[in-house]
Amino acid sequence: MVSRRLLRIKILKALYGHFKSGDKTINASEKELFQSIEKTYDLYHYIMQLLVEVADYAQSRIDIGKQKYLPSPEEKNPNTKFVDNIIIGQLRRNEQLNKRLHQNSLSWENNPELIKKLYMNMLSKPYYKAYMADSSRSFEQDQAFALEFFWNEIEDFEDLYQILEDQSIYWIDDVEFELGMIIKTIKKFKEDQPSYASLMPLYKDNADYEFTKRLFRKATVNHLEYRQIVDEYTSNWDVDRIAYMDILIMIEAIAEMIEFKEMPIKISMNEFIELSKLFSTPNSSTFVNGVLDKVVKSLTEKGIIVKEGLGLVEPEVQEEE
């Protein structure tokens, strides 16, 4: 499922695109926002398929070796532990995975060199060598190997990032989040898992969808009001030196803290400080934290920020931590 943090990131990017374009309607920008989230779900399936593709490539090498006129002893009796991995078999047969890939024309067919390079990289890794050298077999061992593959081969594989960037503008910065989803998915696999078993849903529940729609709408409709609040607490700063992304992050943060009474202030503050670390300048997190802290105190005193429910953190408590 798409995390709330990724949803906040998608909203931030949609706000940037909306205000920078100058001519998009809110409806058009909202449609693009949800399209970008759907594309992220495509990426979840697309990257998951990589393990199957690498195994298929390994099988093709085994088949070629057997067909040689004078195969080596290893080619005559190859180690098939990787290609027979139970998790890979489950992914290969999974109906949801195959349906999503087919419906959205997601295929690695045009990237054979990528698959070959992934395979060759994997061959040199200690986790692969240890796995292949162990003659024992178990579901748990195969599951652990699949997790190791995604941990070790994907996140820092620059060739993959280039291909993904060329295919979709919505996939930039999403790989790390999708790897987290894939790892959670594989950890939940069972040995007797049927082909019709569901993978992770796009949203945890309808509340996440409504959260996204409401936060984007409130941040766009009320952006002038929220921008005035930001301006009030940055009046001593040179406006030209304040990163535009910092302003958008604070507008989105203010919208969330005002509109979602059940959302603890501490969670909102922490999330948007993290966003400033990811998408703005090196000093932005300190700046955003300081401004938002003043905004929260002021708006709480005025009764504009009101929190309801048990366990919600008040500004005074947060200040002591």
Side-chain angles (χ1 to χ4, degrees):
M1 72 196 80
V2 180
S3 68
R4 283 282 177 101
R5 175 167 295 178
L6 185 54
L7 291 175
R8 290 182 178 97
I9 290 172
K10 292 292 185 182
I11 293 167
L12 179 64
K13 291 183 177 182
L15 290 172
Y16 184 89
H18 178 77
F19 292 123
K20 281 297 185 181
S21 71
D23 58 359
K24 283 185 181 178
T25 65
I26 293 178
N27 285 341
S29 293
E30 182 182 83
K31 182 178 179 180
E32 190 171 327
L33 165 62
F34 283 105
Q35 182 182 355
S36 74
I37 296 170
E38 282 289 337
K39 290 296 291 183
T40 292
Y41 199 44
D42 282 348
L43 184 61
Y44 163 69
H45 293 81
Y46 198 34
I47 293 179
M48 199 180 304
Q49 178 65 11
L50 275 174
L51 180 55
V52 177
E53 296 289 338
V54 172
D56 287 347
Y57 176 75
Q59 183 63 61
S60 72
R61 288 172 62 97
I62 290 173
D63 294 340
I64 291 171
K66 286 183 175 180
Q67 292 168 8
K68 287 183 178 179
Y69 180 68
L70 292 173
S72 66
E74 184 180 351
E75 289 169 334
K76 284 183 179 179
N77 297 290
N79 186 342
T80 62
K81 188 173 183 178
F82 171 54
V83 297
D84 292 336
N85 182 286
I86 297 170
I87 295 293
I88 294 174
Q90 291 176 335
L91 289 173
R92 184 179 283 112
R93 295 186 297 272
N94 186 271
E95 294 172 12
Q96 178 185 325
L97 177 58
N98 289 318
K99 183 178 180 181
R100 186 84 183 193
L101 294 173
H102 175 72
Q103 285 183 337
N104 295 286
S105 301
L106 298 168
S107 171
W108 294 103
E109 185 177 359
N110 294 326
N111 303 106
E113 288 303 315
L114 176 81
I115 303 304
K116 179 181 178 180
K117 191 169 183 179
L118 267 175
Y119 174 74
M120 299 307 293
N121 287 348
M122 180 184 70
L123 291 185
S124 66
K125 301 294 176 60
Y127 79 92
Y128 176 81
K129 293 178 180 179
Y131 172 73
M132 296 298 281
D134 189 342
S135 60
S136 64
R137 290 297 303 269
S138 71
F139 171 77
E140 290 74 19
Q141 190 183 60
D142 284 1
Q143 186 179 46
F145 173 84
L147 293 172
E148 288 282 1
F149 173 85
F150 287 107
W151 278 324
N152 284 275
E153 308 304 337
I154 305 300
E155 187 171 357
D156 297 320
F157 190 34
E158 291 299 327
D159 297 48
L160 173 64
Y161 281 81
Q162 184 59 56
I163 289 172
L164 295 178
E165 187 172 351
D166 291 342
Q167 290 191 44
S168 175
I169 60 172
Y170 298 116
W171 286 343
I172 300 171
D173 305 319
D174 285 359
V175 173
E176 181 181 347
F177 292 96
E178 297 321 300
L179 281 176
M181 287 178 64
I182 290 167
I183 287 166
K184 288 179 183 177
T185 300
I186 292 175
K187 283 182 176 180
K188 291 181 178 180
F189 274 25
K190 305 297 181 185
E191 187 169 5
D192 58 352
Q193 182 148 299
S195 62
Y196 56 80
S198 296
L199 303 177
M200 293 186 76
L202 175 54
Y203 298 102
K204 180 180 179 181
D205 49 38
N206 192 57
D208 277 357
Y209 174 85
E210 293 299 329
F211 167 83
T212 306
K213 185 170 185 175
R214 184 176 165 193
L215 181 53
F216 176 73
R217 284 264 167 179
K218 293 298 183 180
T220 49
V221 171
N222 299 323
H223 76 279
L224 291 177
E225 176 186 343
Y226 298 155
R227 176 62 190 267
Q228 288 177 350
I229 294 172
V230 171
D231 289 346
E232 180 181 350
Y233 290 95
T234 56
S235 58
N236 293 329
W237 290 77
D238 183 350
V239 176
D240 293 334
R241 296 183 63 185
I242 300 175
Y244 183 63
M245 193 60 79
D246 286 351
I247 294 171
L248 285 183
I249 289 169
M250 289 186 283
I251 287 174
E252 187 180 346
I254 292 168
E256 178 171 305
M257 290 188 286
I258 290 176
E259 299 299 332
F260 293 87
K261 299 183 185 300
E262 74 285 357
M263 182 73 69
I265 287 172
K266 185 176 182 179
I267 288 178
S268 297
M269 288 281 288
N270 288 344
E271 286 297 314
F272 288 103
I273 290 169
E274 287 301 312
L275 260 61
S276 68
K277 293 177 183 177
L278 291 171
F279 294 102
S280 201
T281 67
N283 297 322
S284 288
S285 60
T286 302
F287 173 68
V288 168
N289 185 25
V291 174
L292 287 181
D293 186 57
K294 294 176 183 177
V295 168
V296 167
K297 290 177 182 177
S298 176
L299 297 188
T300 301
E301 290 172 359
K302 294 175 181 177
I304 298 174
I305 291 180
V306 178
K307 296 298 177 179
E308 299 173 352
L310 296 174
L312 298 180
V313 182
E314 296 298 329
E316 291 79 6
V317 176
Q318 180 188 355
E319 194 176 51
E320 293 172 1
E321 293 181 346

